[in-house]
Amino acid sequence: MPIAQNPLSVEVVLPREDVALFRVQGYLDVDTSADFQHHLANQLHHGRRHFLLDLSSVPFMDSSGMNIILRVYQEVREMPGSVHVISPAPAVRRILDLTGVSITVPVSDSVEEALDRVGRGPAVTDAALETSAAAEDSAASQGADGGPETQAPGAV
């Protein structure tokens, strides 16, 4: 059985009954993402609606990690709930910004700031959703070559 090159450590703290704080340490990549997903799913199963992801000790995250963050975001949004990324390392923050994940999922500088955002309710994520929807609308109006999208005559 292969051993992960960069093991992941996940500590789960419950600052409130409906809030789970995940202190993640190590690489969040294809080798470790299933373990992280297991921790998130366990807290969903136990009724947590708000997920605070402290990524300050995650020096690297690939698309596997981003996909898990987006999946849990989609699941808790329907509850309604929220996901907040806390203090991502510079390389991780850059990935979140470049991919647009930081537009959809709020990024906080501290646990206290994220808890405050949770206390304010869905208005924080609604603004992010409007920004994300506007960006998607703008992208949809562009063709594959970056120019305006055109239709053939008679096309619907």
Side-chain angles (χ1 to χ4, degrees):
M1 174 171 17
I3 297 175
Q5 293 289 330
N6 299 296
L8 188 72
S9 169
V10 180
E11 176 189 8
V12 180
V13 178
L14 305 175
R16 293 191 335 217
E17 186 176 331
D18 63 341
V19 177
L21 168 62
F22 298 83
R23 291 191 176 120
V24 186
Q25 189 172 20
Y27 284 36
L28 187 50
D29 58 17
V30 68
D31 292 329
T32 60
S33 60
D35 185 36
F36 185 49
Q37 184 174 358
H38 172 76
H39 286 283
L40 294 168
N42 185 41
Q43 294 305 313
L44 272 170
H45 176 76
H46 285 94
R48 310 292 179 246
R49 297 181 318 121
H50 302 285
F51 290 73
L52 310 182
L53 312 177
D54 181 347
L55 302 183
S56 60
S57 295
V58 176
F60 174 81
M61 180 174 68
D62 69 7
S63 61
S64 302
M66 282 190 314
N67 285 333
I68 288 173
I69 291 171
L70 290 171
R71 271 190 257 152
V72 75
Y73 171 80
Q74 289 173 342
E75 286 189 48
V76 300
R77 188 177 76 180
E78 296 171 7
M79 292 181 157
S82 62
V83 174
H84 302 267
V85 172
I86 301 168
S87 300
V92 173
R93 176 64 192 244
R94 182 166 164 77
I95 295 295
L96 294 172
D97 289 345
L98 287 172
T99 59
V101 173
S102 61
I103 294 171
T104 304
V105 179
V107 178
S108 300
D109 290 330
S110 67
V111 172
E112 294 77 19
E113 180 184 341
L115 280 169
D116 184 49
R117 286 179 163 190
V118 167
R120 282 190 253 153
V124 173
T125 56
D126 287 348
L129 287 174
E130 289 172 16
T131 302
S132 179
E136 289 174 6
D137 288 345
S138 175
S141 69
Q142 299 293 314
D145 62 357
E149 188 173 28
T150 59
Q151 276 185 317
V156 179

